[in-house]
Amino acid sequence: MNNPFEKDFADKTVRKISPKNFFRTLIFAVVIIAILSLLSTCWYTVDEKEQAVIMTFGKVTGTADAGIHFKLPFGIQTVEKVQVNVYQKIELGYRSNPKGNDYEVIETESRMITGDYNIVNIDFFIEYKVSDPVKYLFASESPELVLKNLVQSQIRNVVGSSTVDSVLTDGKADIQSQIKTLTTEVLEQYDIGLILTDVKIQDSEPPTESVIEAFKAVETAKQGAETAINQAKAYENSELPKAQAEADKLIQNAEYLKQNRINDATKIVAKFNAMYEEYAKNPDITRTRMYYEMITEALPGVKLYIDTSDGSTQKLLPLENFTGSTTAN
């Protein structure tokens, strides 16, 4: 330590680590940490599928959409995030396995009685989404459970008033529509911030194998009937144009014959009118001419002499008989 430079450096080092500087540095670090902690509680982010509900001293004061937002620190304002743009599901009668394609049957939910006193197992897939995050959080303690119980009630109501044939075969679409309509009406009255988007029948079958086989046979028969109907319609579509063309041909031919008859009748009428006009001009000559024409038409090829000497009557004097031989006199 005889070196003056080394002595001066030692004095500066002692001054840097003195208690006064140490506490000052410690306080500065604490302040920085406190500020960073404060800033970290003053902002939050909302995903595009979410909507945030802002509460000030526990009371709802607003909502926030996707993005970065600021709030008051130290618990003055708190934020609850709710997924509003996500379709969620409820499985009734079964539970799917997320790890595979298998599923678990829940008979207490799937087994029901129809309106004609038959037992069926029917599974439903319910789809819903959050429509109002505030009501979803505070209008009921468990809105999903309320929706599930409500849908189950309406399902049993509709299935209980339907026949087993409609439940198992061709009435599924109508049953789904009725359940959705009834559930939506009651859900609007409850006003718990949820909306029902879809109701689907996943599967429906009788509880015993013998009944299942019987309904399969009925379904096969219906499909066979539909096939026969389709074939008949195809035959109808192929033969109907031919029949229509033949009918059109017959109608056109009838119209042609009709027009010919009309034309012939018109000619006859015109001829009769012309003859009548000539008869009106000179009845005697016309009458005689008509008489001669009729004789010629009635007795073609017969040689006759017409005697009109007395001036009043006409006599037909055949010189030959109708067979062509000469008469005796």
Side-chain angles (χ1 to χ4, degrees):
M1 290 280 181
N2 295 329
N3 191 343
F5 177 75
E6 291 180 356
K7 183 178 181 181
D8 182 61
F9 178 76
D11 293 339
K12 290 181 179 180
T13 303
V14 173
R15 284 198 298 270
K16 284 183 178 180
I17 61 175
S18 63
K20 184 177 180 181
N21 291 335
F22 175 76
F23 286 111
R24 184 182 300 172
T25 303
L26 180 62
I27 293 172
F28 179 77
V30 171
V31 171
I32 294 298
I33 294 173
I35 292 174
L36 292 176
S37 300
L38 177 64
L39 291 176
S40 65
T41 60
C42 290
W43 63 276
Y44 61 95
T45 59
V46 181
D47 190 77
E48 60 181 4
K49 296 181 180 180
E50 299 174 334
Q51 193 171 10
V53 178
I54 305 168
M55 293 169 286
T56 304
F57 295 112
K59 182 179 179 181
V60 177
T61 55
T63 59
D65 296 325
I68 299 176
H69 305 275
F70 294 92
K71 63 183 180 65
L72 298 178
F74 305 117
I76 298 175
Q77 285 187 327
T78 56
V79 174
E80 287 284 345
K81 300 176 184 179
V82 180
Q83 291 187 332
V84 294
N85 295 323
V86 176
Y87 289 95
Q88 304 184 56
K89 67 178 182 178
I90 296 177
E91 296 172 338
L92 294 177
Y94 72 103
R95 298 292 184 273
S96 58
N97 184 4
K99 298 181 180 179
N101 297 327
D102 297 335
Y103 62 91
E104 179 185 0
V105 177
I106 310 298
E107 290 188 354
T108 55
E109 295 178 355
S110 64
R111 182 158 296 185
M112 306 177 194
I113 186 169
T114 62
D116 51 0
Y117 303 104
N118 287 284
I119 297 176
V120 294
N121 290 331
I122 182 168
D123 302 332
F124 283 89
F125 176 83
I126 311 302
E127 195 174 62
Y128 70 96
K129 64 184 297 188
V130 177
S131 59
D132 189 327
V134 176
K135 294 178 181 178
Y136 172 78
L137 291 174
F138 302 106
S140 64
E141 183 177 356
S142 180
E144 286 87 357
L145 182 59
V146 173
L147 177 59
K148 180 179 178 180
N149 292 335
L150 177 58
V151 174
Q152 282 184 304
S153 175
Q154 299 303 328
I155 287 174
R156 295 187 182 277
N157 181 23
V158 174
V159 173
S161 60
S162 304
T163 63
V164 66
D165 289 336
S166 62
V167 172
L168 298 177
T169 56
D170 57 354
K172 295 181 180 179
D174 186 53
I175 291 174
Q176 293 172 171
S177 177
Q178 291 185 50
I179 294 172
K180 183 178 179 181
T181 301
L182 294 174
T183 305
T184 300
E185 291 176 355
V186 181
L187 196 60
E188 289 177 353
Q189 297 176 5
Y190 286 179
D191 198 18
I192 57 176
L194 295 178
I195 56 173
L196 183 66
T197 58
D198 196 12
V199 176
K200 290 182 180 179
I201 295 177
Q202 292 293 94
D203 189 20
S204 60
E205 60 182 10
T208 61
E209 290 296 329
S210 60
V211 180
I212 292 175
E213 293 299 326
F215 274 100
K216 286 182 179 179
V218 172
E219 190 65 23
T220 302
K222 288 184 178 180
Q223 293 177 357
E226 291 178 357
T227 302
I229 291 173
N230 293 333
Q231 291 176 350
K233 288 182 177 180
Y235 179 77
E236 175 189 7
N237 294 333
S238 63
E239 295 297 324
L240 190 59
K242 298 179 182 178
Q244 189 65 42
E246 187 66 23
D248 293 340
K249 182 179 178 181
L250 293 175
I251 292 173
Q252 292 175 0
N253 188 35
E255 289 291 337
Y256 173 76
L257 295 176
K258 169 186 173 182
Q259 193 61 41
N260 280 346
R261 291 290 181 89
I262 293 174
N263 294 336
D264 292 341
T266 303
K267 292 177 181 179
I268 294 173
V269 171
K271 181 180 178 181
F272 178 81
N273 290 333
M275 292 176 63
Y276 178 76
E277 291 176 359
E278 295 298 325
Y279 175 80
K281 294 177 182 178
N282 198 336
D284 293 336
I285 296 175
T286 305
R287 188 184 303 112
T288 302
R289 181 178 179 80
M290 292 175 63
Y291 180 74
Y292 292 159
E293 290 177 353
M294 180 58 65
I295 291 299
T296 302
E297 184 180 352
L299 301 172
V302 177
K303 297 179 180 180
L304 297 174
Y305 289 95
I306 300 174
D307 183 9
T308 60
S309 59
D310 57 358
S312 59
T313 61
Q314 296 179 357
K315 297 178 181 179
L316 302 179
L317 302 176
L319 298 180
E320 296 178 356
N321 61 13
F322 293 145
T323 60
S325 61
T326 305
T327 58
N329 296 323

